Structures are given as structure tokens and as C-alpha cells.
């Protein structure tokens, strides 16, 4: 203090031989200074006198002795702390009361540490990693399986189906044929490359064919109508020696009666019922 200030600026009493405080270049006796300018303590509500240390946080003030955790009463002077609804808490008490638990390790995510949130749960940044390659996921695209997170390349490598035809990953949909996965656009007729998804097809030597291609390439021809016999829809056909007939085409060449399940005789290229042969 300088000796140039002789009287209190407020009460005008002499400051000689007394303690005083300066504010905006004006001198005040301790009593006047405390009554005019001392901040009230948030904890004890008493003024923080000029000879006491004033600790402030977000516009609030505390005595040094009053700056402590509201739950465990440990001093927070020069220690990390957190505030909740203007209540001061040490980091341990704050964590017990308010901090979320890491979904992976179930340990508390301490205030001030970085956390990741995904599908309503929280992770330590160090715990939010790909289950397979253990690399941090951060904000990268990911896929969840059985409550575990995977980066897209690892998930595709471990779990995704690969198309039997093009060998690329099937990300959605697909077709299963002979216990093998196919892209819909890759599941085509082996003869004409027409897409077969949702269409009728016939399998030959593990290859799918549309009805037209199968008929042209492999189907037997009916000895009567000369059309292909596909057997689709459970259609019946009759085979005799080297010839085949549609069930509805296997009729007597003379009277046209059906011979399915009946006795018949052949006459050159014709099949005849017993009555027509006898006649």
C-alpha cells in the first residue's frame, strides 16, 4: 500500500496505521471495502473479505475453504471438478452420479474424456473399435452383428455372402441356388443370360436355364405333337423305347382314346389301342 492515501474514500476516516484496499485508484478501509465490494460466498453466503482468497467459477464466488465437493466435501482447490446445476462435484462423485458407462467395458466414462455414442449407447473412444481388426471406428461406416461392431471391410470379409457368379459381396437381397448365394442380376439363364429371379427355370448340370432355352437345348420332343416335354408343374409324360409323349398326347392313332395306363400295341410309328388293332 502506498502512503499517499490518507483517508478512506467512503467513510473518510484516516487510514494512517490501518490496513486498506485499493479499487479504481481509490483507497478504502477494510470494513468499507468488504461491505461495498466483497462477493458473497456460494457455500456459506458470507462475504469474501479482502484478506481472503476469492475463488470464482462462471460468475460465482467461494472462500478457498468453501470451494469443495458438494457430495464428499473434499477440497477442489487446484483439482479437476465438474458442475451440475451450479453444484460443484469432484470428478469421482460426478462420475458416480451422472457419467454414462461404456457399453464395451462397463467402466465409467470420466468427465472431460471423449466418448462415442451409437444407437443410444456410449463407448470410450478407445473401446469403440472394430471387433476384428481392432482399429478405431470413429465416424467411419460400421455394421453391428451380435452386439459387436465391425468396420465394413472386416464385416464383408468375415460374414458377408459373395456372389457365386461374380464373387463380389452381396450387400442386400440376393438369390440362393444350389445352396450358393447370387446377386439377383447375376442369376441369369445359362443359355440366353435372361434374369431368372422371379421366373420359372429348370436346372441342368447345376446351371439354371429359362424354360425356352432348356426346351431348345435339352428337352425331349413329344412323338405326337413334336413340342418339347419339360415336365414343368408336375406334368406327366410317357416313355416307350426311344420315344416320349406328353400324357395328354399319348392317344390311339386311330380313335384318339387315351392310352395312359392302358394296354397298347405299336404299328410302325403309331400306337394303337387293342380295339383298333383287332378291327
Amino acid at each position: 500500500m502506498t502512503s499517499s492515501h490518507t483517508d478512506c474514500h467512503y467513510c473518510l476516516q484516516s487510514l494512517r496505521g490501518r490496513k486498506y484496499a485499493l479499487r479504481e485508484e481509490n483507497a478504502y478501509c477494510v470494513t468499507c471495502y468488504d461491505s461495498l465490494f466483497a462477493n458473497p460466498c456460494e457455500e456459506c453466503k458470507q462475504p469474501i473479505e479482502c484478506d481472503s482468497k476469492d475463488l470464482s467459477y462462471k460468475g460465482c464466488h467461494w472462500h478457498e475453504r468453501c470451494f469443495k465437493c458438494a457430495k464428499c466435501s473434499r477440497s477442489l482447490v487446484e483439482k479437476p471438478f465438474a458442475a451440475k446445476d451450479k453444484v460443484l462435484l469432484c470428478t469421482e462423485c460426478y462420475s458416480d452420479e451422472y457419467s454414462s458407462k461404456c457399453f464395451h467395458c462397463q467402466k465409467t466414462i470420466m468427465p472431460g474424456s471423449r466418448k462415442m455414442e451409437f444407437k443410444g449407447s456410449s463407448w470410450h473412444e478407445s473401446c469403440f473399435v472394430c471387433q476384428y481388426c481392432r482399429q478405431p471406428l470413429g465416424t467411419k461406416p460400421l455394421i453391428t452383428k451380435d452386439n459387436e461392431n465391425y468396420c465394413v471391410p472386416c464385416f464383408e470379409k468375415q460374414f458377408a455372402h459373395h456372389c457365386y457368379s461374380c464373387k463380389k459381396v452381396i450387400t442386400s437381397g440376393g438369390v440362393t441356388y444350389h445352396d450358393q448365394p447370387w446377386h439377383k442380376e447375376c442369376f441369369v439363364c445359362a443359355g440366353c443370360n435372361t434374369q431368372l429371379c422371379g421366373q420359372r427355370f429348370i436346372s441342368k448340370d447345376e446351371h439354371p436355364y429359362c424354360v425356352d432355352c432348356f426346351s431348345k437345348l435339352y428337352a425331349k420332343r413329344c412323338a405326337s405333337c413334336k413340342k418339347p416335354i419339360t415336365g414343368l408343374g408336375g406334368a406327366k409324360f410317357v416313355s416307350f423305347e426311344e420315344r416320349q409323349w406328353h400324357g395328354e398326347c399319348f392317344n390311339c392313332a386311330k380313335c384318339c382314346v387315351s392310352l395312359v395306363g392302358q394296354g397298347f400295341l405299336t404299328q410302325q410309328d403309331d400306337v394303337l389301342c387293342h380295339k383298333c388293332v383287332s378291327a
Side-chain angles (χ1 to χ4, degrees):
M1 304 299 179
T2 64
S3 58
S4 60
H5 299 92
T6 57
D7 298 324
C8 173
H9 183 72
Y10 186 74
C11 70
L12 303 180
Q13 292 187 21
S14 175
L15 297 177
R16 294 183 183 280
R18 300 172 62 191
K19 290 183 178 180
Y20 63 91
L22 291 175
R23 184 179 177 89
E24 297 178 357
E25 298 184 359
N26 295 317
Y28 297 85
C29 66
V30 172
T31 303
C32 289
Y33 184 90
D34 289 342
S35 64
L36 292 172
F37 305 115
N39 295 306
C41 175
E42 289 291 320
E43 176 66 19
C44 69
K45 309 306 179 186
Q46 298 299 312
I48 304 173
E49 302 86 352
C50 63
D51 60 349
S52 298
K53 193 171 183 178
D54 186 333
L55 301 179
S56 64
Y57 174 73
K58 289 188 176 182
C60 297
H61 300 263
W62 290 263
H63 290 104
E64 186 173 15
R65 64 180 181 276
C66 295
F67 195 64
K68 56 188 178 181
C69 174
K71 186 176 181 182
C72 68
S73 298
R74 285 184 292 183
S75 174
L76 299 177
V77 177
E78 297 183 357
K79 293 181 180 178
F81 64 90
K84 181 71 173 178
D85 300 328
K86 294 186 177 181
V87 175
L88 301 182
L89 297 167
C90 64
T91 54
E92 291 81 2
C93 289
Y94 183 89
S95 298
D96 291 341
E97 289 290 324
Y98 304 109
S99 292
S100 53
K101 302 288 185 180
C102 176
F103 184 84
H104 178 75
C105 69
Q106 295 303 307
K107 294 181 180 179
T108 298
I109 301 176
M110 300 298 289
S113 61
R114 190 175 180 186
K115 71 176 180 179
M116 310 301 296
E117 293 186 351
F118 178 66
K119 290 186 176 180
S121 298
S122 301
W123 280 262
H124 291 110
E125 186 177 22
S126 58
C127 292
F128 195 60
V129 298
C130 172
Q131 179 65 19
Y132 185 73
C133 69
R134 311 306 299 176
Q135 293 300 308
L137 290 170
T139 57
K140 297 177 184 177
L142 61 92
I143 301 174
T144 300
K145 179 178 174 62
D146 299 331
N147 289 329
E148 299 289 357
N149 299 320
Y150 298 85
C151 64
V152 174
C154 285
F155 182 86
E156 291 180 349
K157 183 177 180 180
Q158 290 293 107
F159 304 109
H161 294 297
H162 290 74
C163 177
Y164 182 77
S165 175
C166 70
K167 310 306 179 186
K168 294 181 180 179
V169 171
I170 300 174
T171 57
S172 63
V175 177
T176 300
Y177 171 68
H178 281 298
D179 295 325
Q180 298 291 347
W182 302 59
H183 288 114
K184 289 182 179 180
E185 59 271 21
C186 292
F187 188 61
V188 298
C189 171
C192 66
N193 288 327
T194 300
Q195 288 192 19
L196 297 176
C197 185
Q199 307 297 322
R200 292 198 302 173
F201 65 91
I202 302 172
S203 178
K204 173 70 174 176
D205 299 329
E206 297 189 357
H207 295 293
Y209 292 86
C210 66
V211 175
D212 289 341
C213 285
F214 183 84
S215 298
K216 292 176 183 177
L217 294 173
Y218 301 108
K220 302 291 185 180
R221 298 283 171 170
C222 177
S224 176
C225 71
K226 309 305 180 183
K227 293 180 180 180
I229 301 172
T230 63
L232 288 173
K236 295 181 179 180
F237 69 95
V238 177
S239 179
F240 176 70
E241 294 181 345
E242 298 298 322
R243 294 184 290 171
Q244 290 82 27
W245 292 261
H246 291 108
E248 63 272 18
C249 294
F250 192 57
N251 303 321
C252 175
K254 289 187 177 181
C255 69
C256 296
V257 68
S258 175
L259 297 177
V260 177
Q262 306 297 320
F264 64 90
L265 298 171
T266 61
Q267 192 175 78
Q268 297 180 353
D269 290 338
D270 296 329
V271 287
L272 302 170
C273 65
H274 286 290
K275 289 184 178 181
C276 289
V277 171
S278 300

